[in-house]
Amino acid sequence: AGEAATVALGAGSRMAASSVISGLFPAINIPVSDNFSISVSPGMGFGSSGLSPSYNLSGTYYTGDFSVTLGWSRTNSGYSTGFGV
């Protein structure tokens, strides 16, 4: 049980530190039209290989009370994509 708690604490600490560091890099929002915008944001994160840069790109389409966002992120350890409504 002690070993699991140590792993969880280490992961939680890295996640908190990544959030604080990434918060220092504001996103750049680029309005393309009344209904579409692109956002670019740099960041830093802690992973198994230590501190590494990350880059995030997203596009959002707005219609009425709804919006749809597609995002892409790149870090030293790989890529990720996300989608939200």
Side-chain angles (χ1 to χ4, degrees):
E3 192 173 303
T6 301
V7 170
L9 179 60
S13 298
R14 285 192 302 272
M15 205 170 9
S18 294
S19 294
V20 169
I21 292 171
S22 292
L24 300 174
F25 302 102
I28 299 167
N29 289 320
I30 305 164
V32 177
S33 70
D34 289 341
N35 294 20
F36 187 73
S37 68
I38 294 173
S39 178
V40 179
S41 61
M44 296 293 283
F46 287 98
S48 58
S49 60
L51 186 65
S52 64
S54 64
Y55 309 93
N56 307 291
L57 175 67
S58 65
T60 303
Y61 178 76
Y62 307 93
T63 178
D65 292 334
F66 297 95
S67 63
V68 177
T69 301
L70 177 63
W72 178 80
S73 179
R74 168 72 170 116
T75 64
N76 281 350
S77 59
Y79 302 91
S80 63
T81 58
F83 177 84
V85 178

